[in-house]
Amino acid sequence: MRLLVRLGARSYSIRVDRSYAGLPRQLEALSLSRVGWVVSHTSLLARHGRTLLGSLRRAGWRLDTITVPERESSKSLALAQRLIRRLAQAPTLRV
């Protein structure tokens, strides 16, 4: 199912599925490199990480995980800047 977030010129859609099974196929259609990160908090990774990461790794993805605090402050520009600096220094980028 697709949901449209209506924000005028900044509108975007969100895809909602029952499982992660179709995610590798959806990402393949975007012609991305198969190297990346999953950014989440510990509770979500504990609950969904094994299924999500397993699905993508079986499809040939090389993934690392990065955890962030489980609170609203994780949705800040300051944290985004820290993540960007960390990702820029990650050996994963040097493929």
Side-chain angles (χ1 to χ4, degrees):
M1 166 182 20
R2 288 201 184 271
L3 303 174
L4 178 62
V5 179
R6 297 176 192 269
L7 297 172
R10 299 179 307 137
S11 296
Y12 60 93
S13 64
I14 299 172
R15 183 179 174 121
V16 179
D17 283 309
R18 291 180 177 259
S19 77
Y20 301 112
L23 184 57
R25 190 172 49 256
Q26 293 165 22
L27 292 175
E28 186 175 335
L30 300 174
S31 299
L32 302 170
S33 81
R34 291 182 182 227
V35 177
W37 299 270
V38 172
V39 179
S40 184
H41 60 74
T42 306
S43 297
L44 278 175
L45 281 176
R47 184 170 182 174
H48 301 285
R50 184 175 177 171
T51 305
L52 170 64
L53 296 170
S55 173
L56 291 168
R57 287 179 175 147
R58 282 189 298 279
W61 281 77
R62 287 184 32 226
L63 298 167
D64 289 328
T65 58
I66 297 175
T67 56
V68 296
E70 189 175 346
R71 56 182 179 261
E72 282 300 307
S73 64
S74 292
K75 301 174 188 175
S76 69
L77 180 57
L79 183 67
Q81 290 171 325
R82 285 196 301 272
L83 283 172
I84 290 167
R85 279 192 295 273
R86 182 172 173 190
L87 294 174
Q89 296 172 354
T92 310
L93 276 180
R94 298 179 188 99
V95 291

